[in-house]
Amino acid sequence: MAFNPIDWLLGLFSLDISIDLGTANTLVNVRGKGIVINEPSWVTIDKRTRQPLAIGQEAKEMVGRTPRDVVVVRPLRDGVIAEFDVTQIMLEYFIGRVHEQSVVPLPRPRVVVGIPAGVTEVEKRAVYDATMAAGARQAFLIEEPIAAALGAGLPIGEVRGSMVVDIGGGTTEVAVLSMSGVVASRSLRVAGDEMDQDIIHYLRNKYNLLVGQGMAERIKWEIGSAYPLPTEKTMEVPGRNLVTGLPETIEVSSVEIREALAGSVQVIVDTVRDALDEMPPEIIADLMDIGICLAGGGALLQGLPDRLADELNLRVWLAEDAMTCVVRGAAMIFEDFDNLSHYLVGLERGGGRRRG
């Protein structure tokens, strides 16, 4: 990349921000400060004026509780932008919060954003445009499995092969990496959100009980699992009986929720197995030594490493602070931009574009 003295001068005083623009949560890392924002990707909109009323955790708490002229929106679905204007509003809000924490006014920041590996050029453009419109001076894109691998500390720059499975809210990204490149990858739109829907459908079909996504997510984290637990658990679940229309509370067990999640978990297992089927024996030997790294919030499902290890006959381990791997990996780009910028993808290979 040619040296630009204006960009160099601005870089001395501007912020460098990395963003994990997730379906479920948005995380923001500021160079030198660490992760400063970790909030749900929800926005509350006034239908009449299209103005935002709340963003992040405050908006998520309003789900299912709003009046008729107010709607709570998730602007990202399956890891990509579904509501461009709302995504721009959310990014403007989060970037603005970062600027508010500065003692003196600063130039527009450089921003690197994680995107799913399987997105189209149109979807890449949408992320780039939304980031620039939200106030970035430069926008860069990095594929989430690459960022997750960097954040987890995998030796992706070495000749040895390594593998990362990044399970988010909307997508699961599987990548085998070696010599700073992708040997094989898979991207599927089965992840945390799909698991929540599995629980909702299971309770509706078996107990005629209607629960919301928030309750399904809580059930998943409290008693959900992908592998038999040492001690099985139970939980009381409130909802609305679809036959009587009245409130009802039932008790469900971790065995039942594991049954509910079985389909989505098996899809993830099969996808990882398919990626391994493509690997030459040399990389399989490397993976037997290094193991498979799990990252992302969805990887925190109880027993998932054990389930994968049992089915794949490989060591499977959970990255430290798995939920923040992508944003921490993206932040590493600014720590050593000259040597790591080749991991960036998007509208201009090796970097984003500067807005004139």
Side-chain angles (χ1 to χ4, degrees), residues 280-309:
E282 291 80 5
I283 286 186
I284 293 297
D286 293 336
L287 295 180
M288 291 180 72
D289 178 41
I290 297 174
I292 297 174
C293 174
L294 297 185
L300 300 176
L301 179 68
Q302 297 178 81
L304 187 56
D306 295 328
R307 171 68 180 278
L308 284 166

Side-chain angles (χ1 to χ4, degrees), residues 11-262:
L12 292 177
F13 302 100
S14 67
L15 293 170
D16 288 333
I17 298 174
S18 59
I19 299 177
D20 178 5
L21 191 61
T23 306
N25 291 279
T26 295
L27 289 81
V28 179
N29 182 292
V30 177
R31 184 180 179 188
K33 295 183 179 180
I35 298 172
V36 297
I37 294 173
N38 182 356
E39 295 209 21
S41 302
W42 289 88
V43 181
T44 303
I45 300 290
D46 187 313
K47 288 182 180 180
R48 296 167 298 180
T49 64
R50 295 295 294 174
Q51 293 299 308
L53 302 178
I55 297 172
Q57 182 61 43
E58 185 182 355
K60 185 177 181 180
E61 292 173 356
M62 297 178 182
V63 175
R65 300 181 173 95
T66 57
R68 294 177 182 175
D69 56 350
V70 174
V71 61
V72 186
V73 177
R74 297 183 79 176
L76 295 109
R77 298 192 190 100
D78 298 328
V80 297
I81 292 177
E83 300 274 354
F84 181 87
D85 293 341
V86 181
T87 301
Q88 179 184 329
I89 289 170
M90 186 174 72
L91 283 171
E92 284 178 349
Y93 170 74
F94 288 138
I95 293 174
R97 277 180 53 182
V98 170
H99 272 276
E100 288 173 2
Q101 298 173 11
S102 301
V103 178
V104 295
L106 294 172
R108 298 196 307 269
R110 297 190 301 173
V111 181
V112 59
V113 184
I115 58 171
V119 299
T120 65
E121 291 300 318
V122 172
E123 290 165 339
K124 289 179 186 177
R125 164 66 72 174
V127 175
Y128 174 84
D129 287 348
T131 305
M132 294 298 288
R137 174 170 59 91
Q138 287 180 303
F140 306 95
L141 307 178
I142 184 170
E143 292 183 342
E144 289 173 354
I146 295 286
L150 288 171
L154 292 177
I156 63 175
E158 299 180 6
V159 176
R160 292 186 298 165
S162 55
M163 187 173 195
V164 63
V165 180
D166 176 32
I167 307 173
T171 60
T172 294
E173 307 282 336
V174 180
V176 180
L177 311 158
S178 177
M179 299 174 60
S180 300
V182 177
V183 179
S185 67
R186 294 284 189 279
S187 181
L188 67 153
R189 298 187 176 185
V190 174
D193 286 353
E194 191 73 19
M195 295 180 190
D196 296 341
Q197 291 301 316
D198 289 341
I199 293 172
I200 292 173
H201 294 153
Y202 181 87
L203 295 177
R204 182 172 60 196
N205 294 335
K206 183 171 182 178
Y207 293 106
N208 289 316
L209 189 76
L210 181 63
V211 299
Q213 185 172 353
M215 176 55 66
E217 185 179 21
R218 181 181 159 196
I219 295 168
K220 178 180 67 179
W221 294 131
E222 290 196 17
I223 65 172
S225 66
Y227 201 74
L229 301 175
T231 303
E232 299 294 350
K233 306 174 183 178
T234 61
M235 176 180 176
E236 289 192 346
V237 178
R240 176 164 60 87
N241 187 297
L242 291 171
V243 176
T244 66
L246 300 176
E248 182 180 352
T249 298
I250 64 171
E251 185 175 74
V252 296
S253 70
S254 54
V255 176
E256 292 177 289
I257 301 306
R258 186 161 58 250
E259 179 186 342
L261 298 174

